Amino acid sequence: MEVCYQLPVLPLDRPVPKHVLSRRGAISFSSSSSLFGAPDPRQLSQRRGAISYDSSDQTALYIRMLARLGCGSTSASSAPERRVHRLLSFQRYLHSSRLLRGVPQQIPLHILDEDYTGQARCMLGKVGSWNFDIFLFDRLTNGNGLITLTSHLLNQYGLVELFQLDMVKLWRFLVMVQEDYHSDNPYHNAVHAADVTQAMYCYMQEPKLAKSLTSYDILLGLLAAATHDLDHPGVNQPFLIKTDHYLASLYRNTSVLENHHWKSAVGLVRETGLFSHLPPEDSLNLERDLGSLILATDISRQNEYLSRFRLHLDQDNLCLSKASHRHFILQMALKCADICNPCRPWELSKQWSEKVTQEFFQQGDIEKKHKLLVSPLCDRGTNTVGNIQIGFMTYVAEPLFAEWARFSDTRLSQTMLGHMGLNKASWGGLQQEQSFVCEEAEDAAARRGANTATTAAGTSSKEIPQGNRKS
């Protein structure tokens, strides 16, 4: 029996409530504070999800953090309008578009609305497909892919009813989560979070997990996937450490970003009162377990988790009836979901590869501008998308997904390994083509230089003709 789920839509006849769009808690620095000592408390109540600095403070180099580079500056007064636009329906967005002002309406816009909503609903019917195109889905939902996908999955599992979640609080929570991802990050944004959430759902549908996970495990897994990179600044941990960012000091240079993502998620849970109806002890346990999952995505601890996973598999002692073992498998599943881009079909994988490399290079450009040591993989002059991806697959993705396939030897696992092998070969082929083109260009330049030198030498050895001169 086909289950149809009506996508939640925002009312078109009412403005979006301010409390839904509030983004308090900006991280900012003034020239009077040492970079990156504690921020001015008065500045912490402006806007969550933005990191800025006073341009007169050269020590606080960095950032607007970050990818606001190249996007031009925007006034604070325009930010609420931009956020509201992202939450409008396709119909109202078109009505407000400058491109359509004064243009006769050829097609009833409500038809376009219904068409886009219908296509998004159709895609949700295949949300468990590994070929799910999250980029298309995000466009069809007018940039609300994370909200729509997560709310759909929570309802599909019956978690809203089971945990007696207030729909208003849940909706507000999801809106604030999506808004706290930096849309100007090329990679670490809400679309990536939605992609990870969809992958997490695919893994939780695998036979071993589907028959073992409790409703609590599933709720935890979906929330962790949706919030695992919350308020990501678009730079990595080494960058925060070497610029003495206060978050690095706060978390003692250990899992700095992951701790921040977790604490940001807990902040939203408490601010919206999503679980305020639960006993305090249960709520605190959920927050703690949420942090345990998010902290597992720290790539610097990859070998630690992988060694533990491999040991369990070698000893064949994983028992999913134990809560601790189920939690560990959820950690591994989230780790896989977080870096599954190389395992997607080429058309999707290539887009993600280009986006993450763009974010790396933006960080490298900032480091060069401020005469900092450029982080590995961040120098666009010495790295390419291809060589970064081949190295990532070889040393990070392949070992992890090989062990996951040992744990869950299914069609999905084999499909992921197959895509990764093809994608790696494709990047290798592109690398060879680029090398060949570069060599041809260098040879052509060398030939042109040699010909120029020969011509110049020949001309200088000849007698310059003289015209007839009258005596």
Side-chain angles (χ1 to χ4, degrees):
M1 179 179 67
E2 182 178 359
V3 179
C4 294
Y5 172 68
Q6 179 66 41
L7 292 178
V9 294
L10 290 172
L12 303 183
D13 57 344
R14 292 190 304 231
V16 180
K18 285 185 179 179
H19 70 271
V20 172
L21 294 175
S22 65
R23 299 182 66 191
R24 301 187 305 278
I27 303 172
S28 56
F29 303 99
S30 67
S31 57
S32 61
S33 64
S34 63
L35 172 81
F36 315 86
D40 186 337
R42 292 171 298 179
Q43 297 172 324
L44 289 176
S45 61
Q46 296 172 0
R47 187 168 69 84
R48 180 191 302 108
I51 301 180
S52 57
Y53 70 102
D54 186 331
S55 58
S56 66
D57 183 357
Q58 294 302 314
T59 317
L61 327 161
Y62 66 87
I63 22 204
R64 302 205 144 96
M65 231 199 223
L66 254 321
R68 303 201 195 280
L69 283 188
C71 295
S73 61
T74 55
S75 64
S77 61
S78 67
E81 181 181 355
R82 290 201 312 275
R83 292 198 293 274
V84 171
H85 273 191
R86 291 186 62 193
L87 295 171
L88 294 179
S89 72
F90 184 70
Q91 176 178 339
R92 284 189 65 192
Y93 183 80
L94 287 179
H95 271 309
S96 65
S97 172
R98 293 180 181 177
L99 297 177
L100 292 181
R101 288 177 187 169
V103 179
Q105 184 173 314
Q106 303 293 333
I107 304 173
L109 292 179
H110 71 273
I111 294 178
L112 294 178
D113 244 359
E114 292 172 0
D115 183 48
Y116 272 60
T117 302
Q119 290 183 61
R121 187 182 298 115
C122 181
M123 287 191 70
L124 284 176
K126 301 178 181 178
V127 70
S129 168
W130 190 246
N131 297 336
F132 192 87
D133 188 340
I134 198 64
F135 299 109
L136 173 60
F137 184 73
D138 196 64
R139 291 194 296 272
L140 292 176
T141 56
N142 193 30
N144 293 305
L146 180 58
I147 298 172
T148 309
L149 178 72
T150 309
S151 61
H152 170 77
L153 293 177
L154 291 172
N155 275 283
Q156 178 168 296
Y157 275 114
L159 300 174
V160 175
E161 182 178 0
L162 183 64
F163 287 92
Q164 299 180 329
L165 301 180
D166 183 289
M167 281 304 299
V168 174
K169 292 179 179 178
L170 175 61
W171 186 256
R172 185 181 176 216
F173 171 77
L174 293 177
V175 168
M176 294 173 76
V177 166
Q178 180 173 278
E179 284 297 311
D180 277 4
Y181 280 95
H182 299 197
S183 60
D184 44 9
N185 284 348
Y187 182 83
H188 289 104
N189 51 41
V191 183
H192 166 65
D195 185 60
V196 172
T197 304
Q198 190 270 336
M200 191 68 170
Y201 171 72
C202 290
Y203 298 150
M204 293 193 297
Q205 289 291 296
E206 291 285 75
K208 279 189 176 182
L209 277 72
K211 69 181 182 182
S212 304
L213 296 179
T214 65
S215 296
Y216 175 79
D217 296 329
I218 295 169
L219 175 66
L220 197 64
L222 292 176
L223 292 180
T227 61
H228 80 284
D229 272 334
L230 197 60
D231 197 30
H232 196 293
V235 291
N236 58 21
Q237 174 172 291
F239 185 94
L240 298 179
I241 292 174
K242 69 186 174 186
T243 53
D244 296 324
H245 191 280
Y246 89 96
L247 284 176
S249 300
L250 179 63
Y251 298 115
R252 299 182 181 181
N253 298 344
T254 303
S255 297
V256 175
L257 287 170
E258 291 73 26
N259 271 299
H260 180 56
H261 305 325
W262 168 32
K263 297 300 183 181
S264 297
V266 169
L268 292 189
V269 167
R270 294 183 180 182
E271 184 174 343
T272 58
L274 184 60
F275 298 112
S276 59
H277 60 290
L278 298 179
E281 183 179 353
D282 292 345
S283 208
L284 289 174
N285 286 338
L286 189 148
E287 292 175 359
R288 180 200 63 205
D289 292 341
L290 183 66
S292 177
L293 290 186
I294 293 175
L295 289 172
T297 63
D298 184 353
I299 201 70
S300 69
R301 299 179 64 189
Q302 179 84 351
N303 288 336
E304 172 191 336
Y305 282 93
L306 190 57
S307 297
R308 182 180 167 192
F309 193 30
R310 188 176 287 125
L311 183 61
H312 275 302
L313 296 175
D314 290 343
Q315 297 179 351
D316 192 23
N317 62 359
L318 277 171
C319 180
L320 298 186
S321 62
K322 295 181 179 179
S324 60
H325 284 200
R326 290 197 308 275
H327 188 79
F328 175 67
I329 291 302
L330 280 179
Q331 289 177 315
M332 298 309 300
L334 184 57
K335 288 179 67 62
C336 289
D338 189 28
I339 63 169
C340 72
N341 302 150
C343 302
R344 296 284 192 180
W346 171 251
E347 294 77 14
L348 301 175
S349 180
K350 184 172 182 290
Q351 291 184 69
W352 285 121
S353 299
E354 291 168 345
K355 289 177 182 297
V356 73
T357 306
Q358 181 185 353
E359 194 166 291
F360 288 164
F361 288 169
Q362 284 187 355
Q363 175 178 323
D365 292 343
I366 292 174
E367 291 168 331
K368 288 179 182 178
K369 179 179 178 180
H370 297 288
K371 296 180 173 51
L372 296 170
L373 180 64
V374 179
S375 301
L377 308 182
C378 294
D379 190 339
R380 67 175 72 244
T382 59
N383 292 283
T384 65
V385 180
N387 64 34
I388 290 174
Q389 288 305 304
I390 291 173
F392 181 76
M393 292 183 205
T394 302
Y395 300 108
V396 180
E398 285 179 344
L400 176 61
F401 284 95
E403 297 306 318
W404 181 262
R406 284 179 63 197
F407 164 71
S408 179
D409 188 8
T410 64
R411 181 178 179 180
L412 174 58
S413 295
Q414 296 307 316
T415 297
M416 291 191 296
L417 291 175
H419 281 317
M420 183 155 47
L422 291 173
N423 294 338
K424 187 175 180 180
S426 296
W427 283 119
L430 289 176
Q431 287 286 95
Q432 289 182 349
E433 289 179 14
Q434 292 173 357
S435 298
F436 179 76
V437 169
C438 289
E439 289 175 2
E440 287 290 305
E442 290 174 359
D443 290 344
R447 286 195 296 270
R448 285 196 299 272
N451 291 338
T452 301
T454 301
T455 302
T459 301
S460 63
S461 64
K462 292 180 181 178
E463 181 181 350
I464 299 178
Q466 302 291 327
N468 293 331
R469 286 186 292 182
K470 293 181 181 179
S471 57

